[in-house]
């Protein structure tokens, strides 16, 4: 980056932010069942404060009864007894150099029904979220007033706990957003109808919050710049709301969407373009004159810098990128962009964990949510660790072992590091994932790891190296199905690395993630593609939101999908498949076999040495995803360390 506005200080309310980077709020599920703070939660946010962000906006925190929480383990501040826990959290952030802001929310029509089984959900009207599926009860006016008071009380508790400010969550289809939106607000009283009435709930909340906390305390608003649903909020609506409330807020944080449009907009996966909603923040920036404007959503440092240079926003919020690399701000400040570990927007840790009810994880950063468990330190008794395999699992294991002070030798049979992740990140929509691969390579180059390329490991070779511990990360190989004439087909790897091999009409055998992403890549290149999958759907192993977005992108290209279809033969003119007991022929010019990957168990067994401390990780253990590779690499090194601080 030629200039660096990201690192310029800025005045926000009564606070001087040391730079323009804030951490966006994302639920961690590191709370107790009642919404209290845990040591793990403090560690997680402290690490991001240490990393140089000017401000940390702590996750969605419910203000009313526990039934108003957006997830089963949301943070809470609906009672005075939660102040003490939040004090520790605020101090963990502030002691590490960041401004501490707490986001306050009410789940409303999107409140999690499992939080309090049998508890009704409420909203402005009896209009259900299609994503959640629970019919809400329309709130009475006295109940609305009580919730306004609850926001004010929670803001005061946040101030008592030592936070520097609060962010009122008016985005993403939660209660405030549902009042603002004509899509969900069908009221005819003073809280519905025209835009001013629909904004009354929000305006009253701000008035009551300011009466409780004063004007030295930071107060911000998060809002969906557009909901992208028919009849929902538009940017014209939200800029008008911004003008209505800018006298009461220090900043407006412009996000996007609600739960119904989450997959393609709110939490956009790798298949969607980066920085796609900067235009919404830009419109808000032009509309308001007093409040600072924050932009967010799938940004990298280069795009963030561009947004600031173009005056599209005053500050930039990073959510997933700061999960992937808490030290992104410091690395930007020091000009070390090559050391910034990218977020690959695969969602296997942050979003999949969220919907599964698990604590936050990250597919590229195994330390996320486990900062204490996976703390880096210099071991008391360094060992010689031999790592066999230079794919993603092997590289991460070698890197982490080196960080802890071990002597590490990495043996790779090929002439390039990365394994199957090379072809897996070849498509243009896998740019961020390729960035993760390149990051691993750069970190190894900077390490003390002895990397030996074109070295096919044998048991004898390992014995000669006399290691104290062995990590086997030899990866996987493509499954060759028992189909007549399969030798006439290309593998997915062959076509991905040389798309010119795919001529004419293309049939892909297998609708898993490999086959589906190959279809998207070829479809976007103008090819006519048919996916033939024996299961009931495609990309079933993909993270749910990514799966929706992948299907959305496939619908834009010339791709046919055949499910419940089992291929019986590959012929010179196409394929023969069976569906519902009927045999069909599909004419095509190119056939691609994409049946997934299987571990190289025979290679693994040939490398094991009796009595040697050995760990099998990544695809060598079982063909899976990057999330498993990184986690298992850290776990293996943790066991090898033996001595703990």
């Amino acid at each position: 980056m030629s200039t660096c506005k990201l690192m310029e200080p800025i005045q926000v309310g009564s606070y001087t932010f040391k730079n323009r980077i804030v951490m966006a709020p994302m639920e961690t599920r590191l709370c107790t069942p009642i919404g209290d703070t845990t040591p793990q939660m403090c560690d997680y946010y402290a690490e991001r404060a240490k990393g140089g962000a000017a401000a940390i906006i702590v996750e969605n925190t419910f203000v009313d009864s526990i039934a108003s929480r957006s997830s089963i383990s949301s943070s809470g501040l609906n009672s005075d007894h939660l102040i003490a826990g939040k004090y520790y959290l605020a101090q963990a952030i502030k002691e590490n150099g960041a401004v501490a802001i707490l986001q306050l929310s009410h789940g409303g029509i999107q409140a999690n029904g499992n939080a309090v089984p049998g508890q009704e959900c409420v909203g402005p009207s009896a209009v259900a979220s299609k994503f959640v599926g629970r019919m809400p009860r329309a709130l009475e006016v006295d109940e609305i007033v009580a919730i306004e008071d609850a926001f004010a009380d929670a803001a005061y508790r946040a101030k008592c706990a030592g936070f520097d400010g609060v962010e009122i969550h008016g985005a993403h289809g939660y209660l405030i957003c549902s009042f603002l939106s004509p899509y969900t607000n069908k009221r005819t009283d003073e809280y519905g109808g025209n835009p001013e009435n629909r904004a009354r709930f929000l305006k009253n909340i701000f008035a009551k919050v300011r009466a409780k906390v004063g004007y030295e305390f930071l107060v911000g608003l998060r809002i969906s710049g557009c909901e992208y649903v028919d009849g929902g909020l538009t940017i014209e609506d939200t800029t008008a709301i911004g003008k209505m409330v800018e006298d009461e807020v220090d900043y407006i944080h412009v996000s996007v969407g609600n739960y119904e449009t989450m997959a393609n907009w709110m939490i956009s996966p790798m298949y969607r373009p980066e920085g796609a909603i900067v235009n919404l923040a830009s419109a808000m920036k032009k509309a308001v004159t007093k409040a600072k404007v924050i932009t967010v959503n799938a940004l990298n440092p280069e795009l963030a810098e561009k947004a600031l240079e173009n005056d599209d926003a005053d500050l930039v919020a990073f959510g997933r990128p700061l999960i992937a690399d808490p030290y992104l701000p410091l690395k930007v400040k020091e000009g070390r962009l090559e050391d910034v570990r990218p977020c690959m927007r695969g969602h296997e840790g942050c979003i999949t964990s969220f919907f599964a009810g698990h604590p936050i994880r990250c597919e590229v950063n195994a330390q996320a949510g486990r900062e204490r468990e996976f703390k880096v330190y210099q071991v008391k008794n360094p060992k010689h660790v031999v790592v066999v395999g230079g794919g993603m699992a092997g590289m991460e294991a070698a890197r982490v072992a080196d960080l802890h002070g071990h002597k590490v030798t990495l043996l790779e049979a090929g002439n390039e590091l990365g394994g199957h992740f090379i072809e897996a990140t070849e498509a243009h929509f896998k740019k961020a994932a390729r960035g993760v691969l390149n990051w691993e390579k750069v970190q190894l180059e900077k390490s003390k790891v002895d990397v030996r390329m074109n070295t096919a490991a044998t048991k004898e070779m390992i014995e000669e190296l006399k290691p104290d511990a062995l990590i086997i990360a030899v990866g996987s190989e493509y499954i060759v199905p028992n189909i007549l004439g399969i030798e006439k087909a290309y593998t997915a790897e062959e076509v991905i690395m040389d798309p010119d091999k795919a001529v004419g009409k293309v049939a892909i055998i297998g609708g898993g993630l490999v086959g589906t992403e190959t279809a998207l890549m070829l479809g976007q290149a103008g090819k006519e593609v048919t996916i033939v999958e024996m299961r009931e759907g495609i990309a079933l192993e993909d993270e749910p939101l990514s799966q929706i977005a992948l299907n959305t992108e496939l619908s834009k290209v010339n791709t046919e999908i055949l499910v419940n279809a089992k291929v019986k033969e590959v012929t010179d003119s196409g394929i023969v498949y069976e569906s519902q007991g009927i045999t069909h022929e599909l004419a095509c010019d190119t056939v691609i076999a994409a049946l997934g990957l299987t571990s190289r168990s025979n290679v693994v067994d040939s490398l094991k040495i009796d009595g040697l401390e050995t760990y099998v990780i990544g695809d060598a253990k079982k063909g899976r995803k990057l999330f498993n590779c990184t986690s298992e690499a850290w776990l293996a090194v943790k066991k090898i360390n033996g001595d703990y601080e």
Side-chain angles (χ1 to χ4, degrees):
M1 297 184 299
S2 56
T3 62
C4 200
K5 285 187 70 70
L6 277 168
M7 291 297 115
E8 292 181 359
I10 186 172
Q11 193 71 22
V12 183
S14 60
Y15 286 79
T16 301
F17 285 22
K18 62 186 178 185
N19 57 52
R20 308 294 182 98
I21 297 175
V22 304
M23 181 178 182
M26 289 188 66
E27 287 197 53
T28 63
R29 295 190 181 239
L30 295 173
C31 299
T32 70
I34 61 169
D36 208 351
T37 307
T38 63
Q40 291 82 3
M41 190 178 185
C42 290
D43 291 343
Y44 172 84
Y45 283 110
E47 189 73 359
R48 276 102 198 130
K50 288 177 189 175
I56 304 293
I57 307 175
V58 173
E59 62 198 82
N60 193 326
T61 299
F62 60 88
V63 302
D64 199 0
S65 72
I66 201 166
S68 73
R69 66 199 318 175
S70 61
S71 76
I72 57 174
S73 54
S74 296
S75 168
L77 199 49
N78 62 319
S79 172
D80 288 352
H81 79 274
L82 296 173
I83 293 174
K86 293 297 186 290
Y87 169 83
Y88 288 114
L89 180 56
Q91 293 306 303
I93 295 168
K94 293 163 66 172
E95 287 172 0
N96 286 289
V99 175
I101 301 170
L102 184 68
Q103 186 184 71
L104 301 178
S105 177
H106 188 300
I109 68 173
Q110 296 176 168
N112 192 294
N114 295 322
V116 180
Q119 179 71 39
E120 64 183 355
C121 67
V122 296
S125 308
V127 177
S129 163
K130 294 178 182 178
F131 183 91
V132 176
R134 300 167 68 209
M135 181 58 69
R137 176 180 62 79
L139 288 161
E140 301 292 338
V141 170
D142 63 330
E143 294 176 304
I144 297 172
V145 172
I147 295 172
E148 294 168 356
D149 293 336
F151 271 96
D153 291 340
Y156 181 70
R157 292 186 191 107
K159 185 176 182 179
C160 293
F163 278 90
D164 301 308
V166 293
E167 178 178 276
I168 304 301
H169 199 343
H172 303 160
Y174 297 126
L175 185 62
I176 294 174
C177 183
S178 68
F179 267 89
L180 295 172
S181 175
Y183 180 64
T184 44
N185 187 345
K186 307 299 182 182
R187 300 178 73 94
T188 57
D189 61 5
E190 66 266 39
Y191 286 95
N194 62 48
E196 289 76 16
N197 280 354
R198 295 199 310 273
R200 189 179 304 278
F201 181 46
L202 176 63
K203 291 173 69 177
N204 287 352
I205 287 171
F206 280 128
K208 291 179 178 182
V209 166
R210 283 299 191 193
K212 284 272 190 174
V213 301
Y215 283 83
E216 296 300 307
F217 194 69
L218 284 170
V219 177
L221 166 66
R222 200 176 208 200
I223 194 167
S224 289
C226 184
E227 287 187 286
Y228 290 108
V229 294
D230 290 339
L233 286 168
T234 66
I235 188 58
E236 290 77 20
D237 295 323
T238 53
T239 52
I241 294 165
K243 291 178 182 178
M244 291 182 201
V245 301
E246 67 169 321
D247 285 336
E248 299 296 331
V249 301
D250 297 301
Y251 69 80
I252 299 174
H253 187 175
V254 184
S255 188
V256 69
N258 57 36
Y259 276 20
E260 294 178 27
T261 54
M262 184 188 313
N264 288 315
W265 287 104
M266 181 177 147
I267 311 175
S268 61
M270 64 181 73
Y271 311 112
R272 299 283 299 160
E274 296 175 299
I277 70 164
V278 171
N279 63 304
L280 301 178
S282 183
M284 184 66 73
K285 181 83 164 58
K286 292 179 174 68
V288 300
T289 58
K290 298 177 183 178
K292 297 294 190 294
V293 173
I294 303 175
T295 189
V296 71
N297 195 278
L299 292 164
N300 56 47
E302 292 85 355
L303 287 173
E305 180 71 16
K306 183 179 178 181
L308 296 179
E309 288 180 350
N310 292 342
D311 203 29
D312 293 319
D314 300 294
L315 301 103
V316 176
F318 291 112
R320 288 169 290 176
L322 286 179
I323 300 174
D325 193 337
Y327 289 83
L328 180 154
L330 281 178
K331 292 173 182 178
V332 171
K333 182 180 180 180
E334 295 166 1
R336 298 190 292 119
L337 291 185
E338 77 280 3
D339 290 329
V340 175
R341 176 168 45 200
C343 166
M344 62 181 268
R345 298 163 69 205
H347 295 167
E348 288 299 332
C350 54
I351 306 304
T352 301
S353 293
F354 175 82
F355 284 113
H358 302 160
I360 194 164
R361 295 290 183 262
C362 178
E363 59 193 321
V364 302
N365 177 16
Q367 291 176 284
R370 294 182 283 190
E371 284 74 17
R372 193 169 303 189
E373 178 186 356
F374 287 161
K375 182 180 179 181
V376 175
Y377 66 98
Q378 294 298 297
V379 295
K380 299 173 184 175
N381 301 296
K383 297 177 180 179
H384 181 197
V385 181
V386 170
V387 179
V388 182
M392 295 301 287
M395 283 195 291
E396 181 71 351
R399 183 186 74 84
V400 175
D402 176 75
L403 285 176
H404 286 86
H406 297 294
K407 176 186 176 183
V408 185
T409 304
L410 173 63
L411 308 178
E412 166 55 39
N415 59 7
E416 187 174 1
L417 295 169
H420 288 303
F421 210 65
I422 297 170
E423 67 264 18
T425 59
E426 185 70 15
H428 73 91
F429 51 79
K430 304 295 282 289
K431 175 185 174 184
R434 174 56 63 93
V436 176
L437 170 58
N438 292 336
W439 180 87
E440 287 280 5
K441 291 180 178 179
V442 168
Q443 302 313 304
L444 276 184
E445 289 172 1
K446 293 185 176 185
S447 74
K448 298 183 182 69
V449 176
D450 179 10
V451 179
R452 302 183 186 182
M453 305 299 298
N454 300 301
T455 304
T458 63
K459 184 183 293 186
E460 293 71 26
M461 185 186 298
I462 296 168
E463 288 175 333
E464 288 178 9
L465 290 169
K466 298 180 179 179
D468 301 298
L470 173 66
I471 297 176
I472 301 175
V474 292
S476 55
E477 56 193 9
Y478 283 97
I479 295 170
V480 180
N482 186 24
I483 296 173
L484 186 66
I486 193 64
E487 69 277 0
K488 297 181 175 72
Y490 291 112
T491 66
E493 177 183 13
E494 290 174 310
V495 175
I496 291 169
M497 300 308 294
D498 185 5
D500 289 340
K501 284 184 166 65
V503 298
K505 294 182 178 180
V506 179
I508 297 178
I509 306 172
L513 193 54
V514 173
T516 309
E517 289 190 341
T518 303
L520 179 59
M521 184 189 79
L522 295 175
Q524 291 179 338
K527 302 291 184 181
E528 182 180 344
V529 183
T530 301
I531 300 172
V532 186
E533 168 57 45
M534 63 187 298
R535 299 176 298 178
E536 295 182 351
I538 61 171
L540 297 180
E541 69 273 37
D542 202 2
E543 182 278 322
L545 295 187
S546 296
Q547 189 183 120
I548 293 170
L550 180 53
N551 275 280
T552 299
E553 296 305 308
L554 279 172
S555 70
K556 301 175 183 178
V557 298
N558 193 6
T559 302
E560 183 182 6
I561 300 169
L562 304 177
V563 297
N564 298 310
K566 186 175 182 179
V567 176
K568 309 298 286 186
E569 183 179 359
V570 179
T571 68
D572 291 335
S573 58
I575 62 172
V576 178
Y577 69 93
E578 185 180 287
S579 180
Q580 297 181 337
I582 302 172
T583 300
H584 305 266
E585 293 185 11
L586 176 66
C588 61
D589 304 288
T590 304
V591 179
I592 301 170
L595 280 296
L597 298 159
T598 185
S599 64
R600 301 171 69 197
S601 56
N602 57 326
V603 179
V604 171
D605 292 339
S606 74
L607 296 173
K608 290 181 177 179
I609 299 171
D610 290 342
L612 178 61
E613 182 181 0
T614 301
Y615 303 93
V616 182
I617 66 171
D619 283 359
K621 188 174 184 178
K622 183 180 179 181
R624 292 158 298 160
K625 298 182 179 181
L626 182 60
F627 175 84
N628 307 103
C629 294
T630 53
S631 293
E632 288 171 6
W634 278 83
L635 285 168
V637 173
K638 181 179 178 180
K639 292 175 181 178
I640 289 169
N641 289 345
D643 53 1
Y644 304 102
E645 285 188 320

